[in-house]
Amino acid sequence: MRVHIVGTGLLGTSLGLALTGAGHAVTLADLSPTAQRLAADLGAGTVGEPEATDVVIVATPPDVAGQAILTALERFPEATVTDVASVKTVLLHEVRAACAAGDLDRYIGSHPMAGREKSGAIAARDDLFVGRPWVVCSDDDTPAERLAQIVALATDVGAAVVHLDPEFHDSSVARVSHAPQVMASLMAAQLVDMPADGVALAGQGLRDVTRIAASDASLWTQILAGNAAEVRDVLTAIRTDLDTLISALDLEPGSIATIAQTITAGNDGYDRIPGKHGQAPQKYAEITVLIDDTPGMLGKLFADVGELGINIEDIRIEHATGVKLGSVEVAVVPARQRELEEGLTSRGWWVPEAVIEHEGQE
Amino acid sequence: MRVHIVGTGLLGTSLGLALTGAGHAVTLADLSPTAQRLAADLGAGTVGEPEATDVVIVATPPDVAGQAILTALERFPEATVTDVASVKTVLLHEVRAACAAGDLDRYIGSHPMAGREKSGAIAARDDLFVGRPWVVCSDDDTPAERLAQIVALATDVGAAVVHLDPEFHDSSVARVSHAPQVMASLMAAQLVDMPADGVALAGQGLRDVTRIAASDASLWTQILAGNAAEVRDVLTAIRTDLDTLISALDLEPGSIATIAQTITAGNDGYDRIPGKHGQAPQKYAEITVLIDDTPGMLGKLFADVGELGINIEDIRIEHATGVKLGSVEVAVVPARQRELEEGLTSRGWWVPEAVIEHEGQE
């Protein structure tokens, strides 16, 4: 296919690299001559706007994507146009309101769910999309052959295609991505004015809840603003629950049940998160191994686990404050737990299976 | 020392095992004859109330700990009395209000920050406290020799002693432990009524934010109720910030700056969380390795890292929806990043360093 990419930042350049590698003829355009030249030098395609193209991928910053899509629909009257922005409804409305009659069917929104902590063409990778979900927003009016073009490109870069309508997409990411970002940020903000001695009591629970609070503020401001209505809906629902809990903390009669319901509702919601590879949620057995914190110890540990023929489903490393000792939690299917414990113990590992923190009185 | 333990659940029995192992003479008491007998059978000590003892450790459920401390102060007029509850101020007030004159100096509150996902004597481990913080709440009136007794016991079970006053302790754990639990639970509760197709878009960000939402509801209800005033203070501050953000999501003039401030305040708070071993926070470099999800692959990977002589600071395994491929993020000190990437690549590993999610447009 002939693919024209508008915007040669991280995502656009990564797409150029991956699609060029898959044999497509890629052209590149960016408002910055330096950026488009850099992307071309890296091997992402050829600089310049072609006479005609099969597909245009708009990979600009989210706040100018709508205009870029409209420009592409007008400039390439035969092409299918997609984009990579993480909020879809606002863009669709913008395109629908302004595009020429009949052109709307040529626009198919995408959201490849991949990113990096760095930005710009220089950070691009041809395998950025491998194994990541790629949401495609089409509807009943979308011509099958145009939809097939987008699916083919997503598949060619190694992504797993997921078909969703834009409202459902935006509502879902508000809940599984945007609201969690807000909750992490709000929680972390409470640490700013704490004495260091108090923050020093932080355990793995706080670290997990606030990890994404380290995210890029400029990108997330655009994302939250772009999905403002949906995010506000979730946050308003959370505020209602928060108000209920705050009231219950006066410990008046009936309040203990309210506090308990807050925690059990969280238990129920947590259980809905799918496990690995999109399977139904599975409970893994966790065993804890205490190790000296020196190079090679983890290698030795996992080599021993490998020799036992047991697949590790998840790992968490925990470091206690003030102690030169690490604990490693290894999650395996419950049927293999006993075998793993015995096998590691017999190989000389210290397996207390006892330092699991998140249920403890941390 | 002669140590009498009141309450032979998980913590009491684990303490009995560890202190017996360290050479102390431990006696055990529990309202349940079966529970105290089980603890003794496991090797945690001898059943029965002694004539006299040096230290009493109250390890009952938090909601009856106050009465148990008062009883111990009365029954053992020479002994030092401590407890293991995770909220200290309420207990101190209860003891102060009711204990005999002069007895208050014999009470020194403790909070060993350890736990398990299981409960009861049968789940006890003699190494439950190894490498964990053990908060000791004393004040200027605390006799040095009594304080030394508690510090000695905490040290003997392998814990790292931290001296804090009870108000500071309760205020700190409200922020680093109790409020994070609430935020995780509130977030997870929003998933209860979501369509499965939407929850399927969940990435590592949501998983991290909600991991502790799986915690035990009964235990956490006691903890939140026991520290209600401090928890309410933090949650009220969070609600103020949440209200500000919800208002900003109307996108009126000035609102974009407010949204950005929410995220940057979270950046600042996150930066205050100490790194491993109580050191100052350190930024690690993360590299990503894509692996087949089969037994032994992780072992092979970490064996190779070990051969390179590089210490792994942290690990995260991520599973993409619908793809039989795992990505492993390995955190190392930045100075070793390049060496690790090159070493692993030369050994045939697929190192895209590209699937880092938490800054992405997930």
Side-chain angles (χ1 to χ4, degrees), chain A residues 149-327:
Chain A
Q149 287 176 312
I150 303 303
V151 169
L153 294 181
T155 306
D156 283 349
V157 301
V161 172
V162 182
H163 294 273
L164 296 177
D165 84 65
E167 286 80 12
F168 185 85
H169 169 273
D170 287 0
S171 159
S172 298
V173 293
R175 282 156 182 83
V176 304
S177 173
H178 306 171
Q181 176 62 51
V182 170
M183 297 297 271
S185 297
L186 291 175
M187 183 64 244
Q190 291 299 313
L191 308 177
V192 171
D193 295 324
M194 270 187 79
D197 285 353
V199 189
L201 296 177
Q204 195 57 41
L206 178 70
R207 286 191 175 83
D208 285 348
V209 170
T210 59
R211 184 180 62 83
I212 56 176
S215 298
D216 182 73
S218 149
L219 175 64
W220 274 97
T221 301
Q222 285 192 45
I223 292 174
L224 296 177
N227 202 19
E230 289 287 352
V231 174
R232 192 172 44 193
D233 279 356
V234 196
L235 295 183
T236 303
I238 289 173
R239 182 174 56 180
T240 302
D241 291 349
L242 179 58
D243 283 341
T244 303
L245 179 62
I246 289 173
S247 300
L249 288 170
D250 62 9
L251 304 183
E252 294 293 313
S255 58
I256 298 297
T258 304
I259 297 172
Q261 280 154 12
T262 300
I263 308 293
T264 53
N267 292 164
D268 294 345
Y270 178 82
D271 283 343
R272 296 212 57 216
I273 302 176
K276 59 190 284 195
H277 305 317
Q279 298 161 351
Q282 180 170 12
K283 298 290 188 187
Y284 296 117
E286 288 197 334
I287 79 158
T288 303
V289 186
L290 294 172
I291 63 168
D292 285 334
D293 195 14
T294 53
M297 288 302 282
L298 275 173
K300 218 161 140 321
L301 172 63
F302 292 114
D304 282 354
V305 177
E307 276 176 25
L308 293 167
I310 298 172
N311 198 17
I312 295 174
E313 307 293 339
D314 207 351
I315 298 174
R316 199 164 73 242
I317 301 185
E318 191 179 319
H319 310 287
T321 301
V323 178
K324 189 73 182 165
L325 188 75
S327 79

Side-chain angles (χ1 to χ4, degrees), chain A residues 111 125 131-132 177 194 208 211 213 215 239 243 267 272 276-277 293 318 320 323 352 358-359 362, chain B residues 111 125 131-132 177 194 208 211 213 215-216 239 243 267 272 276-277 293 318 320 323 352 358 361-362:
Chain A
H111 177 201
R125 304 287 309 212
R132 308 294 310 158
S177 173
M194 270 187 79
D208 285 348
R211 184 180 62 83
S215 298
R239 182 174 56 180
D243 283 341
N267 292 164
R272 296 212 57 216
K276 59 190 284 195
H277 305 317
D293 195 14
E318 191 179 319
V323 178
H358 69 275
E359 313 272 353
E362 176 199 322
Chain B
H111 178 201
R125 304 287 308 213
R132 309 295 308 160
S177 172
M194 271 187 77
D208 284 348
R211 184 181 62 83
S215 298
D216 181 73
R239 181 175 58 183
D243 282 341
N267 293 163
R272 297 212 58 216
K276 59 189 284 196
H277 306 315
D293 195 14
E318 191 179 319
V323 178
H358 69 274
Q361 302 188 21
E362 175 199 322

Side-chain angles (χ1 to χ4, degrees), chain B residues 82-358:
Chain B
T82 190
D83 70 290
V84 301
S86 60
V87 181
K88 307 309 327 167
T89 315
V90 170
L91 270 186
L92 181 63
H93 290 166
E94 189 175 344
V95 174
R96 180 180 288 148
C99 76
D103 276 359
L104 189 61
D105 286 351
R106 295 195 288 119
Y107 168 63
I108 300 171
S110 291
H111 178 201
M113 299 179 77
R116 284 193 75 184
E117 82 288 12
K118 300 169 191 163
S119 58
I122 194 65
R125 304 287 308 213
D126 64 358
D127 44 16
L128 185 67
F129 306 95
V130 172
R132 309 295 308 160
W134 181 304
V135 177
V136 175
C137 294
S138 58
D139 59 29
D140 293 343
D141 297 332
T142 308
E145 66 277 13
R146 295 195 183 276
L147 180 58
Q149 288 176 312
I150 303 303
V151 169
L153 294 181
T155 306
D156 283 350
V157 302
V161 172
V162 182
H163 294 274
L164 296 177
D165 86 64
E167 287 78 14
F168 185 84
H169 168 274
D170 287 1
S171 159
S172 298
V173 294
R175 283 157 182 81
V176 304
S177 172
H178 305 171
Q181 175 62 50
V182 169
M183 297 299 271
S185 296
L186 290 174
M187 184 63 244
Q190 292 299 314
L191 309 176
V192 171
D193 295 325
M194 271 187 77
D197 285 355
V199 189
L201 296 177
Q204 195 57 40
L206 178 70
R207 286 190 175 83
D208 284 348
V209 170
T210 60
R211 184 181 62 83
I212 56 174
S215 298
D216 181 73
S218 149
L219 174 64
W220 274 98
T221 302
Q222 286 192 46
I223 293 174
L224 296 177
N227 202 19
E230 289 288 352
V231 174
R232 192 172 45 192
D233 280 356
V234 196
L235 295 183
T236 303
I238 289 174
R239 181 175 58 183
T240 301
D241 291 350
L242 179 58
D243 282 341
T244 303
L245 179 62
I246 288 174
S247 300
L249 288 170
D250 63 9
L251 304 183
E252 294 293 314
S255 57
I256 298 296
T258 303
I259 297 172
Q261 280 154 12
T262 300
I263 308 294
T264 53
N267 293 163
D268 294 343
Y270 178 82
D271 283 343
R272 297 212 58 216
I273 302 176
K276 59 189 284 196
H277 306 315
Q279 298 161 350
Q282 179 169 14
K283 298 289 188 189
Y284 295 117
E286 287 198 334
I287 80 157
T288 303
V289 186
L290 294 172
I291 62 168
D292 286 334
D293 195 14
T294 52
M297 290 301 282
L298 275 173
K300 216 160 141 322
L301 172 62
F302 292 114
D304 282 354
V305 177
E307 277 176 26
L308 293 166
I310 297 172
N311 197 16
I312 295 175
E313 306 294 338
D314 207 351
I315 299 174
R316 201 165 69 241
I317 302 186
E318 191 179 319
H319 310 287
T321 300
V323 178
K324 188 72 182 167
L325 189 73
S327 79
V328 182
E329 286 179 26
V330 179
V332 297
V333 292
R336 310 298 297 274
Q337 176 183 9
R338 193 187 175 86
E339 184 186 345
L340 180 59
E341 287 175 355
E342 291 175 354
L344 288 180
T345 303
S346 76
R347 282 167 166 77
W349 293 98
W350 188 8
V351 186
E353 65 158 341
V355 196
I356 295 172
E357 182 157 352
H358 69 274

